[in-house]
Amino acid sequence: MIHVDPDPVTIGGAANSTVDVTLICPMGWTLHDLPDWLTASPAASPTGTGALGAPVTFTAQVNPNTSTRSATLTFTASNGDKVKLTVTQAVNSGFSLTLAHVTGQTDGYGTVEITTGAATDNIGGTSVTVKANPAGVYTFLKWVATNDRGATAVQNGATDAAAEFTFDITANTTLYAVFQGNGTAAAPIEVATVAQLNDVRNQLLWNYILMADLDLGVNPYNTDSGWSPIGTFTGVFDGNGHTISNLYINRGGSDNIGLFRYV
């Protein structure tokens, strides 16, 4: 004999939602047909539950859909008896959205807003349209979205004063609007990666500020000829208390070599 109660059951749409059922099976049993969005504890027992039964707890991942989803599970007793259980997951109606803006370490470069969509604390599985509003001489560079699944997505945008983009919100999400200066003393270009440091050679008159410690001991800058010195630099490069380490240059016979060729 094997019996489960209640059947069917509904589980919440948010991440880590749980629901319990009572399984009665006086012998060993195993659970089959679990979908990848659902886990069970326990999922098997070699000795059974006893006459009074025992709880089985189901835990769900977040439902990314705008509709419910269901799975039919099978409990199988060691004598071959089976019982079905249908688990339906509700729509997640409680995703949170956080809007932020970054240019490194300080504020004042612009604002962000929702122009179309639900309130930020109850998004559901819907879409929102967000807008970045650069301030002063700053321009919008890109959107960066991170969510509670550890995923990151980047949306590059046009460098204009009305950079709007529509996102599908399927998890608790933070949207960052990244603004960039124009290279003047009041709005220097921020350098936070080795690639951005290499790009300095493309605008030798601008003002730059280093936003992180950089290690040049990475490919392709630590092999063959190594780092190609930046040309005649007449701008301003503010180290901002950070370091640039492991500079490698192998250019025998060349003069005026270093991070910069001339300053």
Side-chain angles (χ1 to χ4, degrees), residues 43-54:
S45 171
T47 59
T49 64
L52 298 179

Side-chain angles (χ1 to χ4, degrees), residues 215-231:
D215 181 2
L216 293 182
V218 296
N219 189 58
Y221 308 113
N222 63 348
T223 61
D224 298 326
S225 297
W227 177 262
S228 176
I230 296 171

Side-chain angles (χ1 to χ4, degrees), residues 148-170:
D148 57 9
R149 300 178 197 169
T152 300
V154 175
Q155 171 60 37
N156 292 321
T159 53
D160 56 35
E164 291 192 63
F165 189 75
T166 299
F167 286 89
D168 293 324
I169 306 300
T170 59

Side-chain angles (χ1 to χ4, degrees), residues 173-198:
T173 300
T174 300
L175 297 181
Y176 295 95
V178 182
F179 298 106
Q180 177 175 272
N182 64 355
T184 64
I189 300 295
E190 296 182 353
V191 176
T193 68
V194 173
Q196 290 172 343
L197 177 64
N198 190 54

Side-chain angles (χ1 to χ4, degrees), residues 46-129:
T47 59
T49 64
L52 298 179
V56 177
T57 300
F58 293 96
T59 303
Q61 298 177 9
V62 65
N63 184 355
N65 306 317
T66 56
S67 59
T68 62
R69 58 181 175 180
S70 298
T72 300
L73 317 180
T74 303
F75 290 94
T76 303
S78 57
N79 69 351
D81 288 347
K82 298 180 180 181
V83 65
K84 301 286 187 178
L85 171 67
T86 298
V87 179
T88 298
Q89 186 176 28
V91 173
N92 187 355
S93 59
F95 294 135
S96 67
L97 171 65
T98 302
L99 294 178
H101 52 95
V102 292
T103 58
Q105 298 181 352
T106 57
D107 296 328
Y109 300 117
T111 60
V112 289
E113 61 179 312
I114 291 178
T115 57
T116 304
T120 58
D121 60 350
N122 193 15
I123 299 281
T126 61
S127 298
V128 294
T129 300

